[in-house]
Amino acid sequence: MSEDKTKQERHKARQQKVKDKVDAKIASAQEVKGLLLIITGNGKGKSTSGFGTVARALGHGKRCAVAQFIKGTWDNGERNLLEKLGVEFQVMATGFTWETQNKETDTAAAQVVWQECQRMLKDETLDVVLFDELTYMVNYGYIDLDEVIEALTHRPAMQSVIITGRAAHRQLIEIADTVSEVKNIKHAFESGVKALQGVDW
């Protein structure tokens, strides 16, 4: 037997073992329910990932809604596209909290959007809901953590929720089905490069 053929057969045997393990995991995953996904960490791409999931769901004919916290009044590429496809947007639209520097008005603005989030979490016709940057609202005390957990745990059984933002509270992580951490390795902004429309926002 040639050396190339031996390598090929070893590779095939290794890949078959991998396939067997994956197939076994797929076969054992029998529970069907809506998922709670958290995308956290200090790297760029958390919101982008959340919106990618919304786009995927839309592609499968699912009904989606988005609530955005800590977003300003500037042009929003995701909203420009997704609203045309029937995605509801609720946007806090006060800008970053370090710009407003007013906890009272920020809390009031967050509460207005949170009321809409609570409505979404009771709507059985919504398949996927994205709460973009919600983690900050919880950490700043603008939205009550217990209220968030209560609403999430009593949502429709097949509704999936995506929460993005840095420093997700440990209690949110505990109740989540999937948690991903986006790590910052390098960011153009740190080198003085201006945020680019269509890529950064």
Side-chain angles (χ1 to χ4, degrees), residues 25-191:
K25 285 183 180 180
I26 291 170
S28 67
Q30 294 299 312
E31 186 179 0
V32 179
K33 66 170 190 169
L35 301 174
L36 174 57
L37 301 95
I38 294 179
I39 308 163
T40 191
N42 66 353
K44 173 179 165 43
K46 297 179 290 294
S47 296
T48 305
S49 178
F51 278 110
T53 305
V54 169
R56 173 183 290 160
L58 282 172
H60 286 291
K62 305 294 185 184
R63 188 163 173 254
C64 306
V66 174
Q68 287 188 288
F69 298 91
I70 319 187
K71 297 298 179 187
T73 55
W74 57 83
D75 194 33
N76 182 323
E78 297 93 344
R79 186 176 185 179
N80 291 346
L81 173 67
L82 296 173
E83 272 191 333
K84 293 174 186 172
L85 299 173
V87 177
E88 173 191 353
F89 270 72
Q90 296 292 336
V91 182
M92 189 165 147
T94 55
F96 297 109
T97 52
W98 56 85
E99 290 174 343
T100 60
Q101 299 177 8
N102 188 321
K103 185 169 184 177
E104 188 176 323
T105 57
D106 285 344
T107 302
Q111 283 295 319
V112 169
V113 177
W114 174 238
Q115 294 303 312
E116 298 298 335
C117 293
Q118 289 178 300
R119 172 184 54 78
M120 292 173 185
L121 290 170
K122 293 175 183 173
D123 187 344
E124 293 187 359
T125 70
L126 286 173
D127 301 298
V128 177
V129 180
L130 169 60
F131 295 153
D132 188 34
E133 315 284 18
L134 175 68
T135 61
Y136 295 95
M137 302 298 99
V138 170
N139 293 338
Y140 295 162
Y142 298 171
I143 298 173
D144 181 69
L145 173 63
D146 290 337
E147 215 173 270
V148 173
I149 291 172
E150 174 78 10
L152 288 170
T153 54
H154 291 91
R155 72 187 193 276
M158 289 307 298
Q159 186 184 80
S160 292
V161 179
I162 308 154
I163 295 173
T164 69
R166 294 185 180 206
H169 195 282
R170 60 178 175 75
Q171 286 182 249
L172 289 175
I173 288 172
E174 284 170 10
I175 66 168
D177 297 290
T178 300
V179 180
S180 298
E181 183 176 14
V182 181
K183 184 178 177 181
N184 183 45
I185 304 297
K186 188 177 183 181
H187 199 300
F189 183 70
E190 293 165 357
S191 303

